[in-house]
Amino acid sequence: MDICKTLEDMNIVVVGHVDHGKSTVVGRMLADTNSLPEGKLEQVKANCRRNSKPFEYAFLLDALKDEQAQGITIDSARCFFSTEKRNYIIIDAPGHIEFLKNMVTGAARAEAALLVIAADEGVMENSNRHGYLLSMLGIRQVAVVINKMDLVDYSREVYEGIVLEYSRFLKKVNITASSYIPVSGMIGDNIAANSTERMPWYTGMTVLEQLDSFISEGLPADMPFRMPVQDVYKFTMNNDNRRIVAGTVETGRLAVGDSVTFYPSGKRSSVKSIESFNVSPPEQIMAGNSAGFTLTDQIFITRGEIAARSDEKPPEVAARLKTNVFWLGREPFSPGKRYFIKIGTAKVECSLERVGRVMNASNLNSEKKESVERHEVAECILNLKKPVSFDLTDELAATSRFVLIDGYEISGGGIITGAMEDELSDVRHQVMIRNTNWIKSSISREDRAYRYKQRPSLIIITGPRQSGKKTLARELEKVLFQNGELVYFIGMGSVVYGVDADIKNRNKKNREEHIRRAAEIINIMLDSGMILILTAIELTSHEIELIRTIANPPDILTIWTGEKVTTDINAELTFGGNDNKMYVERICRNLADRGIIFKGI
Ligand code: GTP
Ligand code: MG
């Protein structure tokens, strides 16, 4: 026998209408698998005799809870048992709210569920609500346990009636039950052993067999590698050029020589070394550990990206997310308001685009609403200001969770169930391919910044025709140049008649293509370390987003020239007159304040 073999763990949640026998089924499983502490069963039975009340298997759970409550780490709603295949952690679901909170924030995570329905009462309100809840939480492996079969004379008709009724309901919430098991928790039928005598007509699995045939998510270390980037540390002393990418490994493993891709940017490199403080570096880093590694190429990545292995399934990237949100904030979660979403190490501004189904977590009533109130669970579409990288809850739960921040407070949490298209999805995809295939330089962005004494930056000057964009751009370029900066002014016209010579018609679609190409040029020039000034007529906020997506400028300043802003752009500076000297001064001050140029002018 392999004594060292460690069994995998699986969390199972047990839900169902009140008194339908959840605790009895669990108690019976513990007893029939010999998982109770020595003498416990006898002790509880003796207790019952003493108090002249009939013994119940459910009492076993209470007795265990009392015992566990004395320990600090074990929470009272769980109990444990093992089969030959794995260790089970059974969550006898506590109050709805606590349970939900734990599930969405990641304190608890069930991979599968047992939904108990009593045969004598049949499908009740909570049978449906709990089914719905499981669907909201992204738990797709559900077995329906039809309990108290002894009370209906082990009737096949009763069983089949419930199967028919409940499978119709589950279908509506997108769940296909793994099985419908007729049991008697009290007698012990079909829990750990087949009830061939009393229910010869049932040839399916027992509850225990069903548990063992649920598919496990597996050990975190065996899943695809995911490390949200916490920080990139640079060492510049004594010619030490290492840049260490640091974070906590959520899942998977990574070794020296592995190719890693960062998302959402799609930038790629290989692991040169694994770093650790004080101790000698390990060969590989694994799920659950804080880790740091260096790369063979000088690529620019930032906090908030997810590091994945290039040979494994990539995470999703999107700026529109289909989610299930559990709201805790005093103020309702409403469209039109500004929130922040925190997912992994990324923190991005977001808004609520649309609410789908909403369910009240205290009474589990479901309705259609415009916003989400405290203690409600809702299907929500979120719109993010910038794309983020994540996984879907069905695939990798750890990187599918997020929290929502309203002001300074964590006001909700949730899981991502789908990535949705937005206007820039195609462009973003193209950019990712470009970044993955980018031919890297050996000179880093910092090396250039150090040499040129400036950071690359994009200054966009836009506004109506004849509003003085080019004049201002030229004067700004001149002042920066005279100050020793590496600066270049590029007008849209220079792109349109050159790089875009193949585009003849001037229409909206072509305008977008002009901007796309200009943005690709900007991307190259920014990579070279330049401060770039772009002029273009009446850019919209969508067009600025397009430039941002393609060129991904580390820094961008938008300026509107002209008395009236004629698009939906939200410019940082607006210059209505023609006092260019003053405008140039203000721009330079802005650049110095933000550390783009290192010396004042
Ligand atoms: P709550 O935790 O209060 O929601 O109840 P529960 O779903 O955990 O039910 P519990 O296991 O406490 O059982 C409720 C009652 O049903 C108890 O009196 C049990 O003895 C009885 N019961 C449970 N399973 C069976 C069964 O298979 N047959 C019969 N006849 N009674 C059962
Ligand atoms: Mg109970």
Side-chain angles (χ1 to χ4, degrees):
M1 200 174 90
D2 184 2
I3 310 171
C4 297
K5 191 178 159 208
T6 46
L7 293 176
E8 62 182 6
D9 291 341
M10 185 184 257
N11 290 291
I12 309 278
V13 63
V14 184
V15 293
H17 195 75
V18 63
D19 265 0
H20 275 200
K22 301 179 287 295
S23 305
T24 304
V25 168
V26 175
R28 183 51 107 158
M29 259 183 325
L30 295 178
D32 291 2
T33 51
N34 294 322
S35 308
L36 294 165
E38 188 81 37
K40 193 91 220 158
L41 188 62
E42 290 69 32
Q43 186 195 331
V44 175
K45 279 185 175 166
N47 241 338
C48 288
R49 269 197 306 277
R50 212 173 308 127
N51 300 316
S52 3
K53 60 176 182 183
F55 166 77
E56 298 240 359
Y57 277 96
F59 296 160
L60 284 169
L61 291 201
D62 296 333
L64 289 175
K65 272 179 206 167
D66 291 345
E67 217 155 82
Q68 288 173 353
Q70 290 161 19
I72 306 161
T73 48
I74 305 169
D75 99 45
S76 58
R78 303 180 197 203
C79 56
F80 311 85
F81 76 94
S82 308
T83 60
E84 268 177 20
K85 185 160 180 190
R86 49 170 92 104
N87 300 317
Y88 290 100
I89 299 138
I90 306 285
I91 309 164
D92 193 6
H96 304 314
I97 291 176
E98 280 309 307
F99 174 59
L100 271 171
K101 215 192 272 181
N102 290 345
M103 291 289 283
V104 291
T105 55
R109 156 101 192 145
E111 288 165 65
L114 294 180
L115 197 144
V116 179
I117 298 176
D120 59 331
E121 288 195 354
V123 178
M124 301 292 281
E125 239 174 341
N126 268 351
S127 317
N128 288 341
R129 288 169 173 169
H130 285 174
Y132 181 46
L133 199 62
L134 296 176
S135 146
M136 285 283 222
L137 290 168
I139 301 173
R140 294 280 175 271
Q141 299 192 89
V142 179
V144 179
V145 174
I146 300 175
N147 187 32
K148 306 197 188 182
M149 285 302 289
D150 54 298
L151 293 184
V152 296
D153 286 334
Y154 299 102
S155 154
R156 185 175 185 166
E157 285 69 44
V158 172
Y159 165 81
E160 282 174 352
I162 293 173
V163 172
L164 192 67
E165 180 182 355
Y166 204 60
S167 57
R168 269 195 204 129
F169 166 75
L170 283 186
K171 197 164 176 208
K172 278 194 244 161
V173 296
N174 260 333
I175 293 179
T176 312
S178 313
S179 59
Y180 290 83
I181 314 171
V183 310
S184 167
M186 199 157 87
I187 313 288
D189 295 301
N190 288 334
I191 303 282
N194 275 310
S195 174
T196 39
E197 248 174 60
R198 288 180 285 267
M199 289 180 272
W201 47 266
Y202 177 74
T203 52
M205 285 183 276
T206 62
V207 176
L208 271 186
E209 284 166 348
Q210 173 59 65
L211 290 184
D212 274 351
S213 69
F214 280 135
I215 297 161
S216 166
E217 282 171 2
L219 292 171
D222 297 334
M223 299 183 202
F225 176 73
R226 300 287 188 258
M227 187 185 94
V229 176
Q230 190 92 41
D231 219 328
V232 181
Y233 296 103
K234 292 160 217 135
F235 294 80
T236 43
M237 300 237 297
N238 308 329
N239 271 341
D240 186 350
N241 251 332
R242 282 179 307 161
R243 288 147 46 91
I244 299 181
V245 183
T248 302
V249 182
E250 290 285 355
T251 49
R253 51 183 96 215
L254 184 76
V256 173
D258 282 342
S259 171
V260 270
T261 308
F262 295 85
Y263 296 90
S265 71
K267 290 180 185 173
R268 180 191 288 198
S269 185
S270 295
V271 179
K272 185 172 171 194
S273 66
I274 286 174
E275 302 286 324
S276 65
F277 301 98
N278 303 325
V279 292
S280 62
E283 289 281 296
Q284 59 171 1
I285 51 180
M286 282 215 290
N289 296 319
S290 294
F293 56 85
T294 63
L295 299 168
T296 52
D297 306 285
Q298 301 280 7
I299 55 171
F300 183 71
I301 44 164
T302 50
R303 179 188 167 91
E305 298 211 46
I306 286 187
R309 251 168 61 180
S310 314
D311 60 342
E312 294 179 330
K313 184 181 188 308
E316 306 276 338
V317 170
R320 265 178 92 217
L321 311 177
K322 211 168 144 199
T323 64
N324 290 342
V325 168
F326 180 39
W327 191 249
L328 300 161
R330 255 175 286 276
E331 298 290 318
F333 186 38
S334 317
K337 270 189 70 179
R338 220 168 129 249
Y339 302 94
F340 280 91
I341 183 170
K342 260 174 90 170
I343 167 152
T345 51
K347 184 177 170 187
V348 176
E349 193 183 320
C350 74
S351 61
L352 171 60
E353 182 183 307
R354 196 157 49 77
V355 183
R357 295 184 296 179
V358 182
M359 186 174 70
N360 184 305
S362 5
N363 56 22
L364 300 188
N365 280 331
S366 163
E367 52 188 314
K368 193 107 188 67
K369 296 173 94 175
E370 302 286 299
S371 59
V372 189
E373 316 253 343
R374 186 173 209 180
H375 291 160
E376 286 179 335
V377 192
E379 292 170 342
C380 297
I381 294 179
L382 306 184
N383 241 320
L384 277 57
K385 198 89 188 257
K386 262 175 33 183
V388 286
S389 179
F390 56 90
D391 286 285
L392 300 183
T393 188
D394 284 349
E395 283 155 17
L396 276 177
T399 32
S400 92
R401 291 196 191 103
F402 60 85
V403 295
L404 289 164
I405 298 166
D406 185 5
Y408 294 100
E409 276 179 45
I410 291 186
S411 298
I415 52 173
I416 304 176
T417 56
M420 299 188 65
E421 296 276 303
D422 62 82
E423 278 179 319
L424 291 169
S425 300
D426 290 347
V427 174
R428 215 175 285 128
H429 183 69
Q430 199 53 49
V431 167
M432 233 149 65
I433 294 175
R434 179 200 72 197
N435 287 349
T436 308
N437 293 291
W438 194 260
I439 305 186
K440 286 144 209 143
S441 160
S442 62
I443 298 159
S444 74
R445 195 174 277 232
E446 290 85 45
D447 292 341
R448 287 184 212 276
Y450 188 74
R451 165 69 60 85
Y452 303 144
K453 300 188 175 40
Q454 66 178 46
R455 288 200 292 123
S457 178
L458 174 64
I459 301 161
I460 296 178
I461 303 178
T462 186
R465 255 170 231 287
Q466 309 297 335
S467 60
K469 299 181 292 296
K470 285 177 234 166
T471 317
L472 176 61
R474 281 188 202 104
E475 288 189 28
L476 176 63
E477 183 189 29
K478 201 153 138 197
V479 169
L480 286 171
F481 182 78
Q482 281 165 353
N483 192 48
E485 308 300 339
L486 194 65
V487 57
Y488 191 77
F489 156 49
I490 184 167
M492 266 309 274
S494 314
V495 181
V496 169
Y497 296 101
V499 173
D500 296 349
D502 57 321
I503 304 174
K504 297 290 184 258
N505 293 331
R506 288 185 168 232
N507 56 32
K508 186 165 173 285
K509 189 160 163 282
N510 286 346
R511 177 172 160 108
E512 196 149 312
E513 180 59 12
H514 288 313
I515 291 168
R516 191 193 70 77
R517 293 188 192 187
E520 287 292 356
I521 296 170
I522 292 167
N523 177 55
I524 293 173
M525 298 193 76
L526 288 175
D527 194 49
S528 78
M530 287 270 176
I531 292 174
L532 206 60
I533 308 164
L534 170 78
T535 57
I537 296 168
E538 295 182 315
L539 289 175
T540 62
S541 62
H542 167 73
E543 288 165 345
I544 300 268
E545 267 326 297
L546 184 63
I547 295 172
R548 200 191 292 278
T549 303
I550 295 168
N552 193 20
D555 194 280
I556 186 165
L557 174 66
T558 47
I559 298 161
W560 184 272
T561 55
E563 280 169 27
K564 225 173 84 217
V565 180
T566 52
T567 73
D568 65 343
I569 185 177
N570 198 355
E572 271 135 289
L573 298 172
T574 312
F575 299 140
N578 52 14
D579 191 354
N580 280 344
K581 191 159 178 287
M582 195 256 281
Y583 300 156
V584 168
E585 267 173 32
R586 280 191 55 191
I587 297 169
C588 290
R589 217 176 315 130
N590 178 298
L591 295 178
D593 285 350
R594 284 177 307 127
I596 305 301
I597 51 179
F598 301 161
K599 46 195 182 284
I601 292 177

